[in-house]
Amino acid sequence: MKITPLSIPDVLLIEPQVYHDQRGYFLESFNQARFEQQLGRPVHFVQDNHSHSVHKVLRGLHYQLGKPQGKLIRVTQGEVFDVAVDLRESSPTFGQWTGGILSAENHHQLWIPEGFAHGFYVLSSTADLHYKATDFWYPQGERTLRWDDPAIAIRWPLSQTPIVSAKDEQGHYFESSDKYA
Ligand SMILES: Cc1cn([C@H]2C[C@H](O)[C@@H](COP(=O)(O)OP(=O)(O)O[C@H]3O[C@H](C)C(=O)[C@H](O)[C@H]3O)O2)c(=O)[nH]c1=O
């Protein structure tokens, strides 16, 4: 397992060891002991999610007040551009974004700790995203930051206007967004 901090160092790119043979491949998609050893702190996941999306779907940018979720994200089919936005007011990278390509081919995973908004854009005809969360879904605390907020200026690899949910269309802008302490 190779761990690389991204431009926001608390967001980690995780490259699992992939064991190829004539049958195909095997990898450990999650190992509690290794993950905690790399992170240097205990992490407890309580919910697994699976979202399936078609080409040009953009989901996000979402976060939860009250029950912030750390997320360990991977793609098992297709390819997405995955993004995290730092909403931790005390952070030197507050308001900045980072991210990268997660795909079934590269097996890359992202660890996005609590205190971030998360979103992704689907680059392939369809994509299956599987992610573990460190707290339960808390709809009362759900918030959406606009994916196209010029104050964050995410360089989405868009080919054309993305497919966005009505909820995400009504997302708010960063200057009025909630912050994590
Ligand atoms: C998030 C969630 C949703 N739902 C239900 C609620 C809706 O009936 C349906 C679709 O929910 P939503 O449109 O909020 O799904 P996404 O737009 O993919 O939301 C997710 O997108 C970004 C990228 C995330 O990181 C979050 O996990 C989450 O906000 O699933 C549940 O039952 N449990 C859940 O944990």
Side-chain angles (χ1 to χ4, degrees):
M1 173 198 283
K2 183 182 168 199
I3 304 273
T4 310
L6 294 184
S7 55
I8 298 175
D10 288 333
V11 178
L12 303 177
L13 169 65
I14 298 168
E15 298 173 78
Q17 179 69 47
V18 184
Y19 300 93
H20 293 278
D21 64 26
Q22 74 282 7
R23 300 165 299 170
Y25 68 80
F26 179 93
L27 61 86
E28 290 184 1
S29 51
F30 176 68
N31 179 307
Q32 181 83 30
R34 286 215 185 94
F35 188 70
E36 290 188 341
Q37 188 220 349
Q38 290 286 351
L39 227 58
R41 68 174 174 99
V43 177
H44 179 57
F45 293 108
V46 296
Q47 183 175 316
D48 278 4
N49 296 330
H50 173 186
S51 80
H52 177 83
S53 307
V54 299
H55 187 207
K56 299 198 279 290
V57 161
L58 192 155
R59 295 180 187 245
L61 297 154
H62 301 158
Y63 60 101
Q64 280 187 174
L65 292 180
K67 295 166 75 73
Q69 294 173 308
K71 294 169 187 163
L72 179 61
I73 305 154
R74 70 190 187 111
V75 169
T76 57
Q77 185 279 127
E79 183 180 57
V80 308
F81 182 72
D82 203 82
V83 168
V85 177
D86 194 348
L87 295 179
R88 304 167 301 176
E89 202 157 20
S90 59
S91 164
T93 53
F94 176 60
Q96 294 181 28
W97 70 276
T98 189
I101 301 277
L102 305 180
S103 73
E105 285 66 39
N106 68 20
H107 306 296
H108 288 183
Q109 301 181 9
L110 272 194
W111 161 246
I112 303 177
E114 296 84 350
F116 285 75
H118 173 235
F120 64 89
Y121 175 69
V122 179
L123 297 162
S124 45
S125 58
T126 61
D128 287 280
L129 205 89
H130 296 260
Y131 52 111
K132 309 174 87 64
T134 60
D135 210 332
F136 296 106
W137 180 48
Y138 179 56
Q140 310 87 304
E142 262 196 331
R143 297 291 183 277
T144 299
L145 201 51
R146 283 194 66 86
W147 61 273
D148 57 353
D149 188 336
I152 304 169
I154 296 168
R155 291 194 304 280
W156 297 100
L158 298 181
S159 49
Q160 57 194 59
T161 308
I163 300 166
V164 180
S165 68
K167 176 180 78 172
D168 291 353
E169 280 296 355
Q170 278 111 49
H172 57 252
Y173 287 94
F174 177 66
E175 76 274 357
S176 59
S177 84
D178 312 281
K179 280 90 180 167
Y180 291 100

